[in-house]
Amino acid sequence: MLPTPLHVSHDREIESLAEFDEAVSAGGSLAGFRVQAVDLTGRTRDLLSVDTGGAVFLGCPMEAEAAARVRLSGALVFPPVPGLPLDPYRGRLYSPDELFASLDAGYESTPDARAYAWFQRTKADGDVFASMVRAVHDDSVSDALEELLVGVRVVGVMGGHAMARGTEAYAGAARLGRTLARSGLMVATGGGPGAMEAANLGAYAAPFDDGMLDEALRVLAAVPSFTPSVTDWARAAFEVRERWPSGGASVGIPTWFYGHEPPNAFAAHIAKYFANATREDGLLARSNAGVVFLPGAAGTVQEIFDNATPNYYGSRGEPTPMVLVGREHWTERYPAWALLTSLARERPMESRIVLVDGVDDAPEALKHLGP
């Protein structure tokens, strides 16, 4: 018997033990529910007694007796995958504390580093099972990101990983993130170092007085880059978090595809992917309040035109604002602005793009372009 219905809304997804208990007590049935990465070894009595027809259990540990009964009821059971450094069925986004657990023993000991090592090993082997696990993981992350951002106005901030702490460019990107967050927008970045970290830091600093960001920048400047030591780089960020706990929330959307780019510790919600294409599309598609493009190289150029394409065709509805920061950078060093304006000419997106001289001009420009 195959489970039905195949389409289930988010309110029939169970992602915690508390939600499981609530569903069982409320209706005495789990029929049609999706139960995601919940340890059910202590809920055998419930699983033996409630209706689970048409349910799907994704990576939920349970006793053998319960699993057998659930399968006989017509549910699908995808068991946990042993030996992985991550849970492919996870129902929540990552947190910095989760990805950097065991940092005291060095970055190589963290779940983030171990996931990357597993990715490199299995990618080289061409293991079809591993590629399926990665696809399931990335889809779970996308689902969690979608749930987090329902009804939220999101502004993307794109920029290169090479921007060093202690520079004026880094401080400017941090001020940008702070200003955008204080205006009520959720800041979303590629989740890595450099400009991405700076914007997430700024959003983290938004609830504090302005002096906090100045002091945090001084602390971070002691370790300008994630090379040669990711461990030292990450520890400096956690020092800031410990001195000023409970900062503002923002989103980081990094990838294990670029193993040289660890995630930064200032994004409260981290949607980390194996597939970079899925990650890029997810970041840009969810930036419904527009995107600010800070100076960057190949990756940022790619993001400009990944964002311009749906604006050009109108495939996501009305075009969203695009603010390019750095006139010399985008007209001379990497002349993306000329091509962007050519694409936009006589199309609805023409009035939604702008080039500004400096990062401090970006928030006002975005405001004028927005709805």
Side-chain angles (χ1 to χ4, degrees):
M1 182 190 304
L2 291 176
T4 57
L6 293 178
H7 173 74
V8 177
S9 63
H10 284 309
D11 62 358
R12 294 181 71 80
E13 293 181 2
I14 294 175
E15 297 168 346
S16 69
L17 202 56
E19 291 175 353
F20 178 90
D21 291 340
E22 181 181 357
V24 170
S25 63
S29 173
L30 295 173
F33 276 80
R34 278 40 174 156
V35 189
Q36 194 171 351
V38 180
D39 188 345
L40 299 176
T41 52
R43 296 297 186 271
T44 298
R45 181 179 299 177
D46 292 326
L47 294 171
L48 292 177
S49 61
V50 303
D51 179 11
T52 54
V56 178
F57 294 84
L58 298 165
C60 299
M62 61 181 77
E63 299 291 345
E65 181 185 11
R69 190 267 174 186
V70 165
R71 288 190 177 96
L72 283 174
S73 75
L76 279 178
V77 178
F78 293 80
V81 182
L84 294 180
L86 49 83
D87 181 359
Y89 304 111
R90 60 182 301 113
R92 311 277 184 199
L93 297 181
Y94 293 99
S95 70
D97 290 331
E98 182 180 1
L99 287 177
F100 284 105
S102 304
L103 182 64
D104 287 346
Y107 172 69
E108 294 74 15
S109 300
T110 66
D112 185 67
R114 290 188 289 112
Y116 174 66
W118 173 81
F119 176 37
Q120 289 297 99
R121 184 175 65 255
T122 56
K123 183 176 67 172
D125 291 344
D127 184 352
V128 65
F129 177 72
S131 65
M132 182 196 72
V133 167
R134 293 194 296 269
V136 170
H137 169 275
D138 284 3
D139 189 68
S140 298
V141 168
S142 289
D143 183 65
L145 185 61
E146 187 79 19
E147 292 174 7
L148 174 73
L149 297 179
V150 170
V152 177
R153 300 242 330 133
V154 180
V155 58
V157 179
M158 310 298 160
H161 69 265
M163 185 184 287
R165 295 167 172 175
T167 63
E168 177 50 38
Y170 185 96
R175 291 194 302 271
L176 170 66
R178 185 178 64 184
T179 300
L180 294 173
R182 286 177 173 175
S183 73
L185 297 171
M186 175 69 80
V187 172
T189 78
M196 298 171 279
E197 180 188 55
N200 287 130
L201 166 64
Y204 187 89
F208 301 99
D209 62 36
D210 290 356
M212 174 271 175
L213 181 56
D214 294 337
E215 182 60 25
L217 290 170
R218 282 193 286 273
V219 172
L220 295 171
V223 188
S225 175
F226 62 98
T227 59
S229 173
V230 176
T231 303
D232 292 344
W233 174 83
R235 282 175 176 164
F238 278 99
E239 180 183 342
V240 169
R241 284 166 44 99
E242 289 163 7
R243 289 180 61 176
W244 295 279
S246 304
S250 65
V251 176
I253 308 182
T255 175
W256 281 292
F257 183 80
Y258 297 120
H260 61 287
E261 287 188 11
N264 76 71
F266 293 111
H269 310 287
I270 301 177
K272 190 151 192 180
Y273 289 90
F274 289 104
N276 187 53
T278 305
R279 166 251 193 168
E280 292 279 8
D281 184 67
L283 173 54
L284 294 168
R286 289 172 175 83
S287 297
N288 52 25
V291 183
V292 178
F293 297 91
L294 300 175
T300 311
V301 171
Q302 176 183 339
E303 288 162 346
I304 289 173
F305 293 103
D306 281 348
N307 196 54
T309 300
N311 281 348
Y312 179 89
Y313 288 111
S315 56
R316 294 179 185 148
E318 289 296 314
T320 52
M322 298 177 65
V323 179
L324 275 63
V325 176
R327 191 171 302 275
E328 180 181 357
H329 187 87
W330 294 121
T331 61
E332 297 183 23
R333 185 170 185 182
Y334 298 111
W337 179 247
L339 179 53
L340 183 62
T341 54
S342 295
L343 284 171
R345 190 169 297 118
E346 298 181 358
R347 303 189 76 88
M349 68 180 286
E350 186 173 22
S351 62
R352 310 303 295 278
I353 64 172
V354 69
L355 174 66
V356 298
D357 292 319
V359 68
D360 292 332
D361 302 321
E364 190 64 24
L366 184 70
K367 181 179 178 181
H368 284 303
L369 295 179

